[in-house]
Amino acid sequence: MDDRIAETLRADPTMASLVDRHGPLTVEPATDEFARLCTSIVNQQLSTASATAIHDRFLDRLDGEVTPERVLAADEERLRETGLSGTKVEYLRSAARAFRGDDRDLTREGFADATDDEVVEALTAIRGIGQWTARMYLIFALGREDVLPLGDLAVRKGIGQVYADGDDLDRTAMREIAEAWRPYRSYGTRYIWAEYES
């Protein structure tokens, strides 16, 4: 995390305390966008512990190599034995077909000139990818620095925990809090996650 990001986040005294507590956190693009998208699909609506266990088994089932070809070739029953539901297997295959297709380049290079909203629109056209998954892709696959994923329960709970003594806040209030982190809301989000999970 460079000085300009730290300076922006530290302008919010509450966020400054999180930066001090958790040290430098980064937002960097993934080396493999498809594999990172699969991680987000596996993680949908699961606790961190459950998602990690299922993802580890999914990775083992594909011999550590998550590619569209391997996902499409894998036996559905064997994938379900990892803990994936039949619906999630279909979502993973839908994403694999989209990555293998010629309609659009879904990699960082393909989205280089696209706005965040355009990326979300393109991704949510794929079966099984909703707003949450698309925003995780913006942060963790593309390394976009100014994403505020309020569809994420841990982000909402974390902001309430840090800024409102655990009380629930509406999304308008949360967006107002996060204005102080612009244009680095992805970094602010990472600190909220870190505090919520600690």
Side-chain angles (χ1 to χ4, degrees), residues 13-33:
T14 302
M15 182 57 66
S17 69
L18 300 188
V19 173
D20 289 339
R21 185 151 47 248
H22 298 287
L25 298 178
T26 61
V27 173
E28 296 176 355
T31 55
D32 185 328
E33 297 95 331

Side-chain angles (χ1 to χ4, degrees), residues 138-153:
L138 283 169
I139 297 172
F140 293 109
L142 303 185
R144 298 284 176 99
E145 294 185 325
D146 194 35
V147 180
L148 181 66
L150 292 181
D152 186 83
L153 180 62

